[in-house]
Amino acid sequence: MNHNISTYRSLLHLIDLDKTDHELKVIGELFLSAMRDWPSDSRLSIPESIAVFKRNFGDPLTVENTARYIGRGPDWTWKGEAGVSLSQMMEHALKHLGLTDFDAIIELLLNHYARQFLLSGTQKPLRSRGYTYFQVSAGALCEVDQVHWQNTMASYGLDTQDNTWSIEMPLSTNLGQYQLIKNCINRLEPLKVQLMEAKAAFPDLEYEVNLVLWTKEENFRLDQAQIQWLSELGAGLDAEVFPM
């Protein structure tokens, strides 16, 4: 398996970059749907998700054993939805690619997007070398809190799902890794006071700068000013760095 693409978000971004219509893209979208529907405290990596699917549906994974989830307990309906997406994915692979082995299907999918977008040289390059965005999230806040944040950060986008919600600022894209981070932080400056106040009012708020970067440099680092700013806010840094 190509380990350069190992998370839900990285595969999602690469499929979003793909503006063509083809069978592997359909397979990728169905696999993402299964990962998204499977309930977990934190979104699992692609290898972890596959291991979970095999424990719950059977190994090897087939069209038949993924089509119906027979377990019970919390979130069993969402697990069933994930299984339906897996079953549809494998049906599509059999019909259009003649493949039945689940691992081979995923390997073909990941290798395709690695060749298409992540490799340099004569291969098709990335349209963007990276992006970053800031996210505020929390679990089980009341509707009043949600409405307050929607008004406070209306221009930054609000995404709600189940009992959790998050607010994301728009992406910053730039070829330079340091400037990319600076752009994101600079756009947060006008909100710093409100963010600090919200952290005090709602201690379970989680602030995170999410970074996806493709680079030829072996080491990624932030300068001291950026580290200080993020530490004052109490923000974490979730970075995915792909070698080119």
Side-chain angles (χ1 to χ4, degrees), residues 8 12 29 31-39 43 53 78 82 161:
Y8 171 90
L12 174 66
E29 289 170 339
F31 182 58
L32 287 174
S33 178
M35 290 185 68
R36 182 172 58 250
D37 285 339
W38 190 268
R43 183 154 287 147
F53 292 151
W78 284 110
Q161 184 177 4

PDB file of all heavy atoms in Angstrom, residues 8 12 29 31-39 43 53 78 82 161:
ATOM      1  N   TYR A   8      -7.873   9.838   5.746  1.00  0.00           N
ATOM      2  CA  TYR A   8      -9.121  10.227   5.089  1.00  0.00           C
ATOM      3  C   TYR A   8      -8.968  11.571   4.398  1.00  0.00           C
ATOM      4  O   TYR A   8      -9.335  11.739   3.227  1.00  0.00           O
ATOM      5  CB  TYR A   8     -10.235  10.280   6.139  1.00  0.00           C
ATOM      6  CG  TYR A   8     -11.541  10.877   5.640  1.00  0.00           C
ATOM      7  CD1 TYR A   8     -12.525  10.067   5.076  1.00  0.00           C
ATOM      8  CD2 TYR A   8     -11.784  12.248   5.751  1.00  0.00           C
ATOM      9  CE1 TYR A   8     -13.724  10.606   4.626  1.00  0.00           C
ATOM     10  CE2 TYR A   8     -12.972  12.796   5.298  1.00  0.00           C
ATOM     11  CZ  TYR A   8     -13.941  11.972   4.741  1.00  0.00           C
ATOM     12  OH  TYR A   8     -15.117  12.515   4.282  1.00  0.00           O
ATOM     13  N   LEU A  12      -9.274  12.500   0.453  1.00  0.00           N
ATOM     14  CA  LEU A  12     -10.373  13.392   0.083  1.00  0.00           C
ATOM     15  C   LEU A  12      -9.863  14.569  -0.736  1.00  0.00           C
ATOM     16  O   LEU A  12     -10.452  14.942  -1.759  1.00  0.00           O
ATOM     17  CB  LEU A  12     -11.074  13.894   1.348  1.00  0.00           C
ATOM     18  CG  LEU A  12     -12.166  14.954   1.147  1.00  0.00           C
ATOM     19  CD1 LEU A  12     -13.345  14.371   0.380  1.00  0.00           C
ATOM     20  CD2 LEU A  12     -12.624  15.507   2.494  1.00  0.00           C
ATOM     21  N   GLU A  29     -14.591   7.577  -3.968  1.00  0.00           N
ATOM     22  CA  GLU A  29     -15.666   8.301  -3.291  1.00  0.00           C
ATOM     23  C   GLU A  29     -16.495   7.365  -2.408  1.00  0.00           C
ATOM     24  O   GLU A  29     -16.912   7.744  -1.302  1.00  0.00           O
ATOM     25  CB  GLU A  29     -16.552   8.991  -4.330  1.00  0.00           C
ATOM     26  CG  GLU A  29     -15.866  10.169  -5.017  1.00  0.00           C
ATOM     27  CD  GLU A  29     -16.641  10.702  -6.203  1.00  0.00           C
ATOM     28  OE1 GLU A  29     -17.492   9.954  -6.751  1.00  0.00           O
ATOM     29  OE2 GLU A  29     -16.394  11.850  -6.596  1.00  0.00           O
ATOM     30  N   PHE A  31     -15.324   4.585  -0.999  1.00  0.00           N
ATOM     31  CA  PHE A  31     -14.475   4.230   0.132  1.00  0.00           C
ATOM     32  C   PHE A  31     -14.457   5.353   1.169  1.00  0.00           C
ATOM     33  O   PHE A  31     -14.538   5.100   2.384  1.00  0.00           O
ATOM     34  CB  PHE A  31     -13.059   3.928  -0.360  1.00  0.00           C
ATOM     35  CG  PHE A  31     -12.121   3.507   0.738  1.00  0.00           C
ATOM     36  CD1 PHE A  31     -12.392   2.405   1.525  1.00  0.00           C
ATOM     37  CD2 PHE A  31     -10.952   4.221   0.977  1.00  0.00           C
ATOM     38  CE1 PHE A  31     -11.529   2.007   2.540  1.00  0.00           C
ATOM     39  CE2 PHE A  31     -10.081   3.834   1.987  1.00  0.00           C
ATOM     40  CZ  PHE A  31     -10.369   2.729   2.772  1.00  0.00           C
ATOM     41  N   LEU A  32     -14.368   6.600   0.717  1.00  0.00           N
ATOM     42  CA  LEU A  32     -14.429   7.741   1.637  1.00  0.00           C
ATOM     43  C   LEU A  32     -15.763   7.778   2.369  1.00  0.00           C
ATOM     44  O   LEU A  32     -15.818   8.101   3.563  1.00  0.00           O
ATOM     45  CB  LEU A  32     -14.216   9.042   0.875  1.00  0.00           C
ATOM     46  CG  LEU A  32     -12.801   9.339   0.376  1.00  0.00           C
ATOM     47  CD1 LEU A  32     -12.809  10.597  -0.496  1.00  0.00           C
ATOM     48  CD2 LEU A  32     -11.826   9.505   1.532  1.00  0.00           C
ATOM     49  N   SER A  33     -16.840   7.457   1.670  1.00  0.00           N
ATOM     50  CA  SER A  33     -18.159   7.433   2.302  1.00  0.00           C
ATOM     51  C   SER A  33     -18.208   6.400   3.421  1.00  0.00           C
ATOM     52  O   SER A  33     -18.775   6.654   4.497  1.00  0.00           O
ATOM     53  CB  SER A  33     -19.230   7.121   1.253  1.00  0.00           C
ATOM     54  OG  SER A  33     -20.514   7.048   1.841  1.00  0.00           O
ATOM     55  N   ALA A  34     -17.603   5.235   3.198  1.00  0.00           N
ATOM     56  CA  ALA A  34     -17.560   4.195   4.235  1.00  0.00           C
ATOM     57  C   ALA A  34     -16.746   4.658   5.433  1.00  0.00           C
ATOM     58  O   ALA A  34     -17.151   4.459   6.590  1.00  0.00           O
ATOM     59  CB  ALA A  34     -16.967   2.910   3.655  1.00  0.00           C
ATOM     60  N   MET A  35     -15.593   5.293   5.190  1.00  0.00           N
ATOM     61  CA  MET A  35     -14.769   5.797   6.286  1.00  0.00           C
ATOM     62  C   MET A  35     -15.500   6.885   7.068  1.00  0.00           C
ATOM     63  O   MET A  35     -15.422   6.946   8.289  1.00  0.00           O
ATOM     64  CB  MET A  35     -13.446   6.349   5.740  1.00  0.00           C
ATOM     65  CG  MET A  35     -12.486   5.297   5.215  1.00  0.00           C
ATOM     66  SD  MET A  35     -10.901   6.015   4.711  1.00  0.00           S
ATOM     67  CE  MET A  35     -10.234   6.526   6.310  1.00  0.00           C
ATOM     68  N   ARG A  36     -16.225   7.742   6.353  1.00  0.00           N
ATOM     69  CA  ARG A  36     -16.929   8.841   6.998  1.00  0.00           C
ATOM     70  C   ARG A  36     -18.093   8.334   7.853  1.00  0.00           C
ATOM     71  O   ARG A  36     -18.355   8.867   8.939  1.00  0.00           O
ATOM     72  CB  ARG A  36     -17.443   9.814   5.931  1.00  0.00           C
ATOM     73  CG  ARG A  36     -18.151  11.042   6.491  1.00  0.00           C
ATOM     74  CD  ARG A  36     -18.466  12.039   5.393  1.00  0.00           C
ATOM     75  NE  ARG A  36     -19.288  11.464   4.338  1.00  0.00           N
ATOM     76  CZ  ARG A  36     -18.867  11.209   3.103  1.00  0.00           C
ATOM     77  NH1 ARG A  36     -17.615  11.452   2.760  1.00  0.00           N
ATOM     78  NH2 ARG A  36     -19.677  10.700   2.198  1.00  0.00           N
ATOM     79  N   ASP A  37     -18.784   7.299   7.394  1.00  0.00           N
ATOM     80  CA  ASP A  37     -19.952   6.797   8.124  1.00  0.00           C
ATOM     81  C   ASP A  37     -19.585   5.936   9.324  1.00  0.00           C
ATOM     82  O   ASP A  37     -20.381   5.818  10.257  1.00  0.00           O
ATOM     83  CB  ASP A  37     -20.854   5.988   7.183  1.00  0.00           C
ATOM     84  CG  ASP A  37     -21.643   6.865   6.229  1.00  0.00           C
ATOM     85  OD1 ASP A  37     -21.807   8.058   6.541  1.00  0.00           O
ATOM     86  OD2 ASP A  37     -22.069   6.364   5.174  1.00  0.00           O
ATOM     87  N   TRP A  38     -18.394   5.330   9.294  1.00  0.00           N
ATOM     88  CA  TRP A  38     -18.038   4.455  10.406  1.00  0.00           C
ATOM     89  C   TRP A  38     -17.757   5.304  11.644  1.00  0.00           C
ATOM     90  O   TRP A  38     -16.875   6.154  11.631  1.00  0.00           O
ATOM     91  CB  TRP A  38     -16.820   3.599  10.075  1.00  0.00           C
ATOM     92  CG  TRP A  38     -16.606   2.543  11.112  1.00  0.00           C
ATOM     93  CD1 TRP A  38     -15.826   2.639  12.224  1.00  0.00           C
ATOM     94  CD2 TRP A  38     -17.224   1.256  11.152  1.00  0.00           C
ATOM     95  NE1 TRP A  38     -15.908   1.487  12.969  1.00  0.00           N
ATOM     96  CE2 TRP A  38     -16.760   0.613  12.331  1.00  0.00           C
ATOM     97  CE3 TRP A  38     -18.110   0.578  10.318  1.00  0.00           C
ATOM     98  CZ2 TRP A  38     -17.169  -0.670  12.671  1.00  0.00           C
ATOM     99  CZ3 TRP A  38     -18.514  -0.698  10.665  1.00  0.00           C
ATOM    100  CH2 TRP A  38     -18.039  -1.303  11.824  1.00  0.00           C
ATOM    101  N   PRO A  39     -18.508   5.099  12.748  1.00  0.00           N
ATOM    102  CA  PRO A  39     -18.325   5.944  13.933  1.00  0.00           C
ATOM    103  C   PRO A  39     -17.028   5.626  14.663  1.00  0.00           C
ATOM    104  O   PRO A  39     -16.702   4.469  14.893  1.00  0.00           O
ATOM    105  CB  PRO A  39     -19.543   5.608  14.799  1.00  0.00           C
ATOM    106  CG  PRO A  39     -19.926   4.217  14.373  1.00  0.00           C
ATOM    107  CD  PRO A  39     -19.571   4.101  12.914  1.00  0.00           C
ATOM    108  N   ARG A  43     -11.174  10.184  13.540  1.00  0.00           N
ATOM    109  CA  ARG A  43     -11.176   9.506  12.244  1.00  0.00           C
ATOM    110  C   ARG A  43      -9.933   8.647  12.092  1.00  0.00           C
ATOM    111  O   ARG A  43      -8.818   9.090  12.274  1.00  0.00           O
ATOM    112  CB  ARG A  43     -11.273  10.542  11.117  1.00  0.00           C
ATOM    113  CG  ARG A  43     -11.346   9.912   9.739  1.00  0.00           C
ATOM    114  CD  ARG A  43     -12.050  10.800   8.756  1.00  0.00           C
ATOM    115  NE  ARG A  43     -13.487  10.811   9.015  1.00  0.00           N
ATOM    116  CZ  ARG A  43     -14.268  11.872   8.803  1.00  0.00           C
ATOM    117  NH1 ARG A  43     -13.758  12.992   8.379  1.00  0.00           N
ATOM    118  NH2 ARG A  43     -15.553  11.799   9.047  1.00  0.00           N
ATOM    119  N   PHE A  53     -12.833  -2.638   9.394  1.00  0.00           N
ATOM    120  CA  PHE A  53     -13.833  -3.217   8.498  1.00  0.00           C
ATOM    121  C   PHE A  53     -13.711  -4.741   8.467  1.00  0.00           C
ATOM    122  O   PHE A  53     -14.719  -5.458   8.494  1.00  0.00           O
ATOM    123  CB  PHE A  53     -13.666  -2.643   7.084  1.00  0.00           C
ATOM    124  CG  PHE A  53     -14.007  -1.181   6.963  1.00  0.00           C
ATOM    125  CD1 PHE A  53     -13.390  -0.390   6.000  1.00  0.00           C
ATOM    126  CD2 PHE A  53     -14.949  -0.596   7.792  1.00  0.00           C
ATOM    127  CE1 PHE A  53     -13.704   0.948   5.879  1.00  0.00           C
ATOM    128  CE2 PHE A  53     -15.276   0.756   7.691  1.00  0.00           C
ATOM    129  CZ  PHE A  53     -14.644   1.527   6.723  1.00  0.00           C
ATOM    130  N   TRP A  78     -25.176   3.343  11.453  1.00  0.00           N
ATOM    131  CA  TRP A  78     -24.111   4.001  10.689  1.00  0.00           C
ATOM    132  C   TRP A  78     -23.084   2.988  10.224  1.00  0.00           C
ATOM    133  O   TRP A  78     -22.520   3.111   9.119  1.00  0.00           O
ATOM    134  CB  TRP A  78     -23.439   5.082  11.539  1.00  0.00           C
ATOM    135  CG  TRP A  78     -24.272   6.314  11.671  1.00  0.00           C
ATOM    136  CD1 TRP A  78     -24.908   6.764  12.786  1.00  0.00           C
ATOM    137  CD2 TRP A  78     -24.595   7.244  10.636  1.00  0.00           C
ATOM    138  NE1 TRP A  78     -25.606   7.917  12.517  1.00  0.00           N
ATOM    139  CE2 TRP A  78     -25.426   8.233  11.208  1.00  0.00           C
ATOM    140  CE3 TRP A  78     -24.251   7.334   9.291  1.00  0.00           C
ATOM    141  CZ2 TRP A  78     -25.921   9.309  10.462  1.00  0.00           C
ATOM    142  CZ3 TRP A  78     -24.749   8.410   8.544  1.00  0.00           C
ATOM    143  CH2 TRP A  78     -25.570   9.379   9.137  1.00  0.00           C
ATOM    144  N   ALA A  82     -21.897   2.239   6.346  1.00  0.00           N
ATOM    145  CA  ALA A  82     -20.511   2.081   5.890  1.00  0.00           C
ATOM    146  C   ALA A  82     -20.354   0.790   5.102  1.00  0.00           C
ATOM    147  O   ALA A  82     -19.692   0.752   4.056  1.00  0.00           O
ATOM    148  CB  ALA A  82     -19.561   2.090   7.083  1.00  0.00           C
ATOM    149  N   GLN A 161     -22.505  18.203  12.758  1.00  0.00           N
ATOM    150  CA  GLN A 161     -22.794  16.788  12.531  1.00  0.00           C
ATOM    151  C   GLN A 161     -23.035  16.115  13.874  1.00  0.00           C
ATOM    152  O   GLN A 161     -22.216  16.204  14.775  1.00  0.00           O
ATOM    153  CB  GLN A 161     -21.648  16.110  11.791  1.00  0.00           C
ATOM    154  CG  GLN A 161     -21.943  14.646  11.455  1.00  0.00           C
ATOM    155  CD  GLN A 161     -20.824  14.015  10.654  1.00  0.00           C
ATOM    156  OE1 GLN A 161     -19.804  14.629  10.418  1.00  0.00           O
ATOM    157  NE2 GLN A 161     -21.018  12.778  10.260  1.00  0.00           N
TER     158      GLN A 161
END
